[in-house]
Amino acid sequence: MPAKAKWAQIADGIRAQIQSGELAPGDKLPSTSELCRQHSVSAIVVRQAINALKIEGLVEGVGGVGVFVAER
């Protein structure tokens, strides 16, 4: 069985933090550059993970400010 894509692994980790309450509605996610450093990946990979979470409605981006956990 092939390994899960890195962006999906990152999205899974953030999703788990949201579901556990570690990241609460309104909390700001780490910056793209910080997530790149934490996971040793490119910005493209991080953006894929964030976009997947946006599609699920778990996070929302605020232009020029950052990405935040969506209100439920």
Side-chain angles (χ1 to χ4, degrees), residues 43-68:
I44 292 170
V45 173
V46 170
R47 283 194 290 271
Q48 285 179 296
I50 297 301
N51 284 337
L53 296 170
K54 284 180 181 178
I55 290 168
E56 292 175 37
L58 293 175
V59 300
E60 49 196 11
V62 177
V65 178
V67 177
F68 297 84

Side-chain angles (χ1 to χ4, degrees), residues 22-36:
E22 185 178 340
L23 286 172
D27 283 354
K28 186 175 180 181
L29 269 57
S31 67
T32 298
S33 60
E34 180 59 30
L35 288 169
C36 289

